[in-house]
Amino acid sequence: MMNKFGMYVKFTTHEGQRDAFAQILLEAAAGMQSTEACELYIVNVSDSEPETVWVTEIWSDSAAHEASLAMEETKEMIQRARPLIASVEQIKLRPLGGKGV
């Protein structure tokens, strides 16, 4: 059985800010390439909700995810992104397995 940590995060941006916000998240994803504990970080946009961005994440464990939030690069990106965000919804998951995991 896996002990991984997963999360779906739905960000709703202020009107007209989705693409700028998504770009910041794509920068974060690029920064995660060298972070072994981050196994999956996918930025998605919704075709039916023009202000919505979804992030799909899988981490080696929840502690690794928490540690990523304490990184200076992460804090800087959060500061840049915060004014673009209208709301955030998180769904925390425990991945069981499947393709790519």
Side-chain angles (χ1 to χ4, degrees):
M1 179 167 280
M2 295 178 149
N3 290 320
K4 298 187 184 300
F5 173 78
M7 197 161 55
Y8 295 128
V9 185
K10 179 182 181 181
F11 294 96
T12 303
T13 64
H14 293 291
E15 187 174 344
Q17 297 301 316
R18 182 190 75 180
D19 293 344
F21 178 70
Q23 196 57 45
I24 293 170
L25 292 177
L26 289 170
E27 287 177 40
M32 291 296 160
Q33 294 295 329
S34 62
T35 304
E36 242 181 81
C38 180
E39 299 180 18
L40 183 72
Y41 191 97
I42 306 293
V43 179
N44 310 274
V45 293
S46 172
D47 287 339
S48 62
E49 298 173 281
E51 309 307 331
T52 300
V53 179
W54 285 88
V55 176
T56 307
E57 303 179 51
I58 297 180
W59 294 82
S60 58
D61 55 43
S62 61
H65 176 257
E66 287 298 319
S68 76
L69 296 175
M71 296 169 51
E72 286 305 314
E73 303 84 28
T74 304
K75 289 179 182 179
E76 184 271 328
M77 285 186 199
I78 290 170
Q79 287 298 96
R80 284 193 293 135
R82 187 170 277 137
L84 308 178
I85 302 169
S87 66
V88 180
E89 299 172 48
Q90 295 181 344
I91 302 170
K92 294 182 180 180
L93 307 165
R94 186 172 44 88
L96 299 177
K99 184 177 179 177
V101 179

